[in-house]
Amino acid sequence: MDVNARIAQRVRALRDDRGFSLEALAERSGVSRSNISLIERGQSSPTAVVLDKLSAALGVTLASLFEEAPTKTAAPSPLARAADQPVWKDPSSGYLRRNLSPPAQSPLQLVEVSFPARQRVAYESASRNKEIHQQVWMLEGVMELTVGDAHWRLEAGDCLTMRLDRPIVFRNPTRRLARYLVALVTLPPTFPRRQG
């Protein structure tokens, strides 16, 4: 399946599951109603920043938008063959992301990213109704990350952990491609303990 068609199906299915109208999702995400409609019809190639806003408003990780919609007839496979892993290119920065994780239900998601030289992507990482933790492990090259007010320079072998609850900027300051692995874990919502 074409990756934009997969994104279209996932955004529509997640919006329907949550009972959001186009207007409600537009208000929650800050993405225009017309843009969401184009994305859901597969007539738009959204940027990483737009997908991040939609995923935050829908309460899922960005990686979840590339998953196949679950089927009622067969259990999801615990294996993701390389040829079947969806690859998506951000039309703004040109970065490539490959969802590595199998379709089977898991709290852990793995994504491989190839980030072009001299490019930058800034995520607003709006508040989410679930706690999401992310680790970035550099495979090759250099990346500079700004997480809230903290600044980090990562080189091959370095690993940085963060919560997706503040703005994050990814920047490749070099003239060479950077590659890294992203591991995401979604924790169940926590509820305050009852007194007494």
Side-chain angles (χ1 to χ4, degrees):
M1 176 186 295
D2 170 75
V3 72
N4 285 325
R6 182 177 288 193
I7 292 168
Q9 283 184 351
R10 285 293 288 158
V11 170
R12 177 61 189 258
L14 289 165
R15 182 172 67 78
D16 287 347
D17 286 350
R18 282 142 182 81
F20 295 163
S21 64
L22 281 171
E23 292 80 11
L25 182 55
E27 186 175 317
R28 292 174 66 93
S29 67
V31 177
S32 73
R33 181 187 181 283
S34 61
N35 196 3
I36 296 169
S37 179
L38 288 171
I39 292 166
E40 288 187 356
R41 292 193 316 263
Q43 297 176 341
S44 172
S45 182
T47 65
V49 172
V50 167
L51 291 179
D52 182 61
K53 289 178 180 182
L54 290 173
S55 67
L58 292 165
V60 298
T61 63
L62 194 151
S64 297
L65 298 183
F66 298 92
E67 296 174 351
E68 284 187 41
T71 63
K72 295 177 182 174
T73 57
S77 175
L79 175 64
R81 300 270 183 212
D84 298 329
Q85 296 166 354
V87 177
W88 175 79
K89 184 175 184 176
D90 177 31
S92 179
S93 67
Y95 94 78
L96 288 176
R97 66 180 289 127
R98 174 187 293 275
N99 273 32
L100 304 171
S101 296
Q105 187 74 348
S106 172
L108 175 67
Q109 293 175 311
L110 298 177
V111 177
E112 179 187 18
V113 175
S114 296
F115 207 98
R118 305 280 190 204
Q119 292 299 313
R120 177 183 182 275
V121 173
Y123 296 112
E124 293 178 13
S125 293
S127 61
R128 299 169 192 259
N129 62 358
K130 294 181 181 175
E131 188 174 333
I132 301 172
H133 291 259
Q134 172 175 283
Q135 291 190 11
V136 175
W137 179 38
M138 290 301 299
L139 301 172
E140 64 180 271
V142 173
M143 287 296 291
E144 292 179 350
L145 275 74
T146 302
V147 183
D149 294 329
H151 304 284
W152 309 94
R153 180 181 172 92
L154 303 181
E155 298 179 7
D158 294 344
C159 188
L160 178 67
T161 187
M162 67 198 80
R163 277 184 62 179
L164 297 186
D165 63 353
R166 65 198 68 181
I168 299 172
V169 178
F170 287 79
R171 180 175 168 266
N172 180 348
T174 71
R175 295 180 183 175
R176 295 183 54 215
L177 179 80
R179 285 183 49 246
Y180 54 90
L181 177 75
V182 177
L184 297 142
V185 174
T186 303
L187 301 178
T190 56
F191 299 97
R193 292 186 181 185
R194 291 176 53 183
Q195 300 293 323

